[in-house]
Each structure stands twice: as C-alpha cells, then as structure tokens.
Amino acid sequence: MAKKLIDFVKKHFGDEVLDAHSRLGNDTVVVERHRVSDIIERLRDDDATQMNMLRAITCVDYLHREPRFEVVYILYSIAKKHMLTVRVVVPEDDCNVPTIEHLYGCAAWMEREVWDMYGVTFEGHSDLRRVLLYEEFEGHPLRKDYAKQASQPRLELLGKERDSVEEFNRYVKDKPSEGSRQG
C-alpha cells in the first residue's frame, strides 16, 4: 500500500500534514496535534482505509530538539492489511495532545502509559492517572532528563497489598515449585 495512505491523508488533511515519508515499507505522516483525533477518526471510518486497529501509542523524547516530544500512533487495517504511523510533534512547554480514547477503547490505557512515563497530557481523557507507577511517584521516568538515581517517596504497603504479600509468603514461598522443568 506504499504511499497510498500518505496520499489519502494529504488529500483530506493537506494543511495539517507537516511531513510524510515511506521508508522500508513503513508509511508515516507527521500531523498537527490539534487535528490528530479528526485524522485518526477519518482513517478508521473511511472505506478506503479501514484502520480499525490501534496497535500502539507511544512517545519519543528528543531532549535537545524543539519541539522535544513526538507522540506516535500505529494504526492497522485488519481487512486491508496495511499500516500507517501517525506522529504528532509536541513542545515541552505545552505538553498536551487531544485524546483518541473515544475512537479506540484500548487507547485509554496506552495514553495513561504515555502520560505516566513521559508526562504528555491527553486533553479530554476520562481517567488520566498513573498506570505503571504508584500515584505518589514524582516525575516521569522515561524522559531523558529524569535523574536515574532520583529517590522516590517511600510508602507503607496498604492493608490489601500487605495481606497479599503475607499470603504469598505463607502459601507459596515455602513450598517447592512445580512445573515442566521438574525431573
């Protein structure tokens, strides 16, 4: 499908396309962030593209470049068997992108992960909170300027978590493991 998806996006959203390329079979468009939701919705709903699967949402931190971040969406069409990467440039001082959770249910978790790890806010997200780290964690650890040895607040285990740890120690830890490698 080389360049047909790029041409489709350029045809319908020409002014919002900042860059586009097709390298090694990977079609990529870089678009204006305020229109990313509309562009992805069109790609999902149009019969010519049918991008009905969101494979991933991730982020790239280019520490010494302006704009610093890129949010990357990888879309796939199960019916047409083609893929498109949609990238959005995001400046550090205005680090937000419109949500697409209303388009793909799985986007809610992926956007939470990007926010948790990089600090990119998704405007309109229904439940933007940490998904991998605990709520009191300070900072966003996949940012390139995050101090690797930064200390984090220590927290006491909550009762429910403490009970789970004690249950593990009592019922599993002291017993020999059983599995396929036992002879």
Side-chain angles (χ1 to χ4, degrees):
M1 189 89 190
K3 295 185 87 176
K4 288 183 183 177
L5 292 170
I6 293 172
D7 294 340
F8 176 88
V9 175
K10 284 182 177 180
K11 176 183 172 188
H12 295 285
F13 301 96
D15 295 340
E16 284 82 22
V17 177
L18 304 176
D19 189 19
H21 62 269
S22 184
R23 292 189 191 118
L24 303 172
N26 294 317
D27 297 339
T28 302
V29 291
V30 181
V31 300
E32 291 283 348
R33 69 179 160 154
H34 68 279
R35 292 294 307 273
V36 69
S37 179
D38 299 330
I39 293 168
I40 290 176
E41 184 173 17
R42 180 71 183 259
L43 287 164
R44 184 194 67 175
D45 295 342
D46 197 289
D47 289 335
T49 55
Q50 297 181 13
M51 306 301 273
N52 53 358
M53 181 178 170
L54 175 64
R55 281 192 169 174
I57 300 174
T58 190
C59 186
V60 182
D61 181 358
Y62 297 101
L63 181 59
H64 300 293
R65 188 188 83 179
E66 188 56 41
R68 178 177 173 176
F69 299 101
E70 280 189 7
V71 176
V72 181
Y73 303 85
I74 302 174
L75 305 172
Y76 183 74
S77 170
I78 295 171
K80 304 258 184 199
K81 298 188 178 2
H82 55 233
M83 184 174 73
L84 179 68
T85 301
V86 178
R87 295 175 16 200
V88 178
V89 292
V90 182
E92 183 177 12
D93 59 344
D94 187 17
C95 203
N96 59 66
V97 177
T99 186
I100 63 163
E101 74 170 322
H102 60 286
L103 301 175
Y104 299 97
C106 62
W109 282 93
M110 294 180 200
E111 290 175 352
R112 284 178 62 186
E113 181 181 359
V114 170
W115 177 80
D116 198 4
M117 296 289 111
Y118 291 94
V120 176
T121 303
F122 290 88
E123 295 174 351
H125 193 284
S126 64
D127 188 22
L128 196 60
R129 59 188 165 98
R130 294 207 182 263
V131 67
L132 297 174
L133 302 170
Y134 54 95
E135 287 296 323
E136 294 80 7
F137 192 90
E138 296 172 357
H140 304 282
L142 291 184
R143 284 188 173 203
K144 295 205 174 160
D145 58 356
Y146 180 79
K148 291 182 217 172
Q149 300 299 321
S151 63
Q152 291 294 325
R154 292 189 62 127
L155 303 173
E156 292 297 319
L157 287 175
L158 300 175
K160 189 178 205 180
E161 294 167 337
R162 186 171 49 250
D163 292 345
S164 298
V165 171
E166 290 169 359
E167 183 178 331
F168 172 80
N169 288 333
R170 187 175 325 129
Y171 295 108
V172 178
K173 189 175 181 184
D174 297 331
K175 295 181 181 178
S177 63
E178 297 177 13
S180 60
R181 295 184 185 235
Q182 297 258 333

